[in-house]
Amino acid sequence: GKSGAGRLAMKRSSQKHSIENVFVLVLFAIFAMTIVAVLALGANQYKSLVERDNNAYNKRIITSYVSAQIRGYDRADAVKVGGFASPDVDDEVNTLHLLETIDGIRYDLKIYYYQGKVYELFAVEESEMNPEDGVAIMDAKDLHFEKKGSLIRITSKDSEGRENETTVSLRSEESGVAL
């Protein structure tokens, strides 16, 4: 009699609780998967932004560095472009010469591309040095300088092959010529 009806009511109540529990678990699982998906998308977006910023930085670093050096040496007859041994001789190593006089001695800071790297070499002007004597400051695929009047065009290729170009105007030299 009564005990059978009571058991049936308890069984229905128990089924109702287990269906509610399953529903809550399914909702929680969907919520958890949504959070994981949103985090994964956010992480990928962040990673792509960081890569883009790094690529832009690496692309510009060579020309930015050289431009800053040129501006620091911007005085009359102190910035020249030519060969490695001398600005007046083309010897296959295109070199930026930044000249300064210290205690009566003329020094030459040479910046040039040689065998996969950008080099810097600070020495007495016209000294007998070789390109491999410089200090490698960064990896690159190319670096080229061209001077016309008061303008110096710097063209570079970073280690990934991305090209960048900039032009620096020398304030110490009067008339500019368009490149």
Side-chain angles (χ1 to χ4, degrees):
K2 278 189 173 181
S3 63
R7 263 190 247 133
L8 190 60
M10 288 228 356
K11 198 172 183 183
R12 279 196 186 129
S13 172
S14 158
Q15 280 179 334
K16 188 176 172 189
H17 284 301
S18 69
I19 288 172
E20 285 175 4
N21 289 344
V22 168
F23 182 70
V24 168
L25 279 172
V26 167
L27 271 180
F28 179 75
I30 290 170
F31 180 70
M33 287 188 292
T34 304
I35 287 176
V36 169
V38 167
L39 287 174
L41 281 171
N44 282 339
Q45 287 294 327
Y46 179 75
K47 183 180 173 189
S48 68
L49 286 172
V50 168
E51 281 178 13
R52 187 196 71 197
D53 289 351
N54 284 341
N55 289 342
Y57 173 80
N58 290 337
K59 178 181 168 184
R60 288 191 310 264
I61 188 67
I62 298 170
T63 54
S64 297
Y65 169 76
V66 173
S67 298
Q69 288 286 44
I70 291 170
R71 287 186 190 99
Y73 279 82
D74 190 356
R75 322 182 244 302
D77 206 34
V79 180
K80 298 182 179 188
V81 172
F84 179 80
S86 164
D88 306 320
V89 179
D90 181 11
D91 57 14
E92 302 300 314
V93 180
N94 179 255
T95 304
L96 174 68
H97 297 266
L98 303 172
L99 306 163
E100 70 178 319
T101 303
I102 302 171
D103 296 332
I105 300 168
R106 192 112 160 120
Y107 290 92
D108 183 357
L109 172 62
K110 300 175 184 189
I111 300 175
Y112 53 97
Y113 171 79
Y114 183 71
Q115 295 182 345
K117 296 187 186 308
V118 174
Y119 282 83
E120 214 178 56
L121 177 62
F122 186 77
V124 173
E125 185 179 25
E126 306 275 333
S127 60
E128 296 290 319
M129 303 290 274
N130 297 311
E132 55 270 13
D133 296 330
V135 175
I137 55 174
M138 63 187 82
D139 291 333
K141 288 211 165 117
D142 193 25
L143 177 61
H144 186 80
F145 307 101
E146 182 183 349
K147 184 173 184 206
K148 285 190 179 168
S150 64
L151 300 177
I152 295 182
R153 178 184 288 156
I154 307 156
T155 310
S156 70
K157 244 187 226 180
D158 71 6
S159 59
E160 302 294 316
R162 292 178 294 253
E163 293 186 27
N164 195 31
E165 182 180 298
T166 193
T167 301
V168 178
S169 176
L170 297 172
R171 292 187 172 94
S172 61
E173 298 185 16
E174 296 88 29
S175 66
V177 175
L179 281 178

